[in-house]
Amino acid sequence: MSKARLELSDLSIAPRKAERQTGVASSAVASVTPPAADKVAAQMLPNPTETQRRETAEARAIAQEDARYSLKNLKRSKQRNVKFFINIALDYELKARLQRAAAENDLKMTAVVKAALDYYLTENGY
């Protein structure tokens, strides 16, 4: 099974509006670019020296480092309020009791476990 190759000549491309209106003469004029436009474009682009490049690179690096530090500090301040998770292996009967207690009290199982841990720790002086 061979794939048919799509050739450029197989596609029909509509001419642009400017070509339709003015014909072939406009395409010949558009292909010639004035050399003055190249000189103006070259003058508009900055040509910094090596020291200027180094200074801008250092300034950019310092700004990125400051942004990185501020983002790290923001993450640290958010992490202080983050909930910490623990993995607990429960046997089948205990998990069934936990599910039943959560369902009867319309709570999440994590809320029941958290309340039970808090009660246990306060009762034992922790």
Side-chain angles (χ1 to χ4, degrees):
M1 186 169 129
S2 64
K3 294 182 179 178
R5 292 185 63 181
L6 186 62
E7 298 290 329
L8 186 58
S9 60
D10 295 339
L11 300 173
S12 61
I13 301 173
R16 295 183 178 171
K17 289 182 181 180
E19 291 178 5
R20 276 189 257 147
Q21 294 172 357
T22 59
V24 179
S26 67
S27 65
V29 173
S31 64
V32 177
T33 59
D38 294 334
K39 290 181 183 177
V40 171
Q43 292 173 352
M44 291 174 60
L45 294 174
N47 191 9
T49 63
E50 185 65 31
T51 56
Q52 290 174 337
R53 283 190 203 134
R54 188 177 302 122
E55 288 173 358
T56 56
E58 287 175 0
R60 187 180 306 122
I62 289 170
Q64 287 177 349
E65 189 175 354
D66 290 342
R68 193 177 321 119
Y69 284 142
S70 63
L71 182 62
K72 187 184 283 187
N73 289 337
L74 179 66
K75 286 182 180 179
R76 276 189 194 142
S77 66
K78 282 186 176 180
Q79 193 174 16
R80 290 182 188 126
N81 298 326
V82 169
K83 298 176 183 174
F84 295 97
F85 298 95
I86 58 171
N87 290 330
I88 302 173
L90 302 175
D91 60 353
Y92 181 76
E93 293 173 3
L94 184 58
K95 184 171 181 183
R97 289 172 46 204
L98 177 62
Q99 285 176 336
R100 191 178 75 225
E104 288 177 0
N105 294 308
D106 196 28
L107 295 170
K108 292 185 177 183
M109 288 192 296
T110 54
V112 175
V113 170
K114 184 179 172 185
L117 284 173
D118 186 43
Y119 177 77
Y120 175 81
L121 292 173
T122 54
E123 286 295 316
N124 291 312
Y126 293 105

